[in-house]
Amino acid sequence: RIWQGDPEYWTGRNPLLFPVVGNLKEGKIKINGETYSMNRHGFAREREFVITEQAEDHVVMELRADEDTLKKYPFNFKLQVCHRLEDSGFVTSFEIVNLDKREMPFCIGAHTAFCCPVFADETFEDYDIVFDEKEQADSLLLNSDGYIQKGKTVPFLRDSDRFALNYEPFEKMDTVIFSGLKSTGVSLKHRLKGHGVHMDFEGFPFMAFWTKGAQRAPFICIEPWHGCAALEDEDGDFKHKEACICLQPGERKEFLYKVKISQG
């Protein structure tokens, strides 16, 4: 079910978004009065993690601060990611530890891509995104710089638990982004046959969906976020970012999401 990365569309598979989610204003962020530069979604997705534990059903990988990360994000940290297989799917957990002597702000998000369609005789449009509960929710709207526009949204869910997939919204909006949902779970589901995947994202305040609409890419990313792209009117201070988490020295925080495969 997981997208394996095809250079014709997108070589990514399941990048980790840390210590920021989305674009920063002009690629810059203020931390304790100093200005630092970071690419979209931070640097973790570009780094090689060290395997610290491995068994038949799981692997634990770790990233720590080094000379390069300190130039972008001036904190000593430990980020551990555990992927664990289960009979019906997998669980991915993140643990962030502040090893610094100062309060450490961060955001984190997943970017898991799933094959859509799953089988060769299907199309992208055969699938629905189905939430666990009926929602009244609009999508946040990104501007041309990738910042969330103030006061502008796109209508999506009106007392409904689902929307049909098609490429048009992703051509116009790039990313469909919801915040404040009642649901803590969402499915990618074939409309007639019922097969797909379900993701439990409890604890993440944002849920986003992305694909390459113009290229008609055969995948959809289901992305639980704790954080988001820069707001048009934000002041650029990391601690003021939407859904930012601040860890005290020695403090740790854990998140997880669960994916179950449905055979229909």
Side-chain angles (χ1 to χ4, degrees), residues 141-183:
L141 189 61
L142 299 172
N143 66 18
S144 59
D145 293 316
Y147 312 151
I148 294 176
Q149 297 188 51
K150 183 178 181 180
K152 294 185 179 181
T153 58
V154 176
F156 251 87
L157 299 170
R158 290 291 178 270
D159 195 29
S160 173
D161 63 355
R162 68 192 62 205
F163 63 91
L165 280 181
N166 66 81
Y167 288 113
E168 185 178 355
F170 300 100
E171 291 182 80
K172 294 180 178 179
M173 301 167 54
D174 183 72
T175 308
V176 176
I177 308 169
F178 297 109
S179 66
L181 295 171
K182 294 182 295 182
S183 299

Side-chain angles (χ1 to χ4, degrees), residues 73-89:
Y73 181 65
F75 300 99
N76 286 308
F77 67 89
K78 180 174 72 173
L79 170 59
Q80 281 194 332
V81 182
C82 177
H83 297 294
R84 184 177 300 274
L85 293 175
E86 297 189 331
D87 289 342
S88 59

Side-chain angles (χ1 to χ4, degrees), residues 20-29 107 139-153 177-179 205-206 225-244:
V20 296
V21 174
N23 282 356
L24 299 175
K25 275 192 172 181
E26 299 179 351
K28 300 183 185 301
I29 192 77
C107 298
S139 173
L140 302 176
L141 189 61
L142 299 172
N143 66 18
S144 59
D145 293 316
Y147 312 151
I148 294 176
Q149 297 188 51
K150 183 178 181 180
K152 294 185 179 181
T153 58
I177 308 169
F178 297 109
S179 66
F206 292 89
W225 293 349
H226 212 298
C228 63
L231 309 184
E232 280 186 327
D233 60 345
E234 73 175 43
D235 62 10
D237 189 304
F238 204 142
K239 293 180 181 179
H240 298 160
K241 286 187 67 61
E242 193 78 12
C244 170

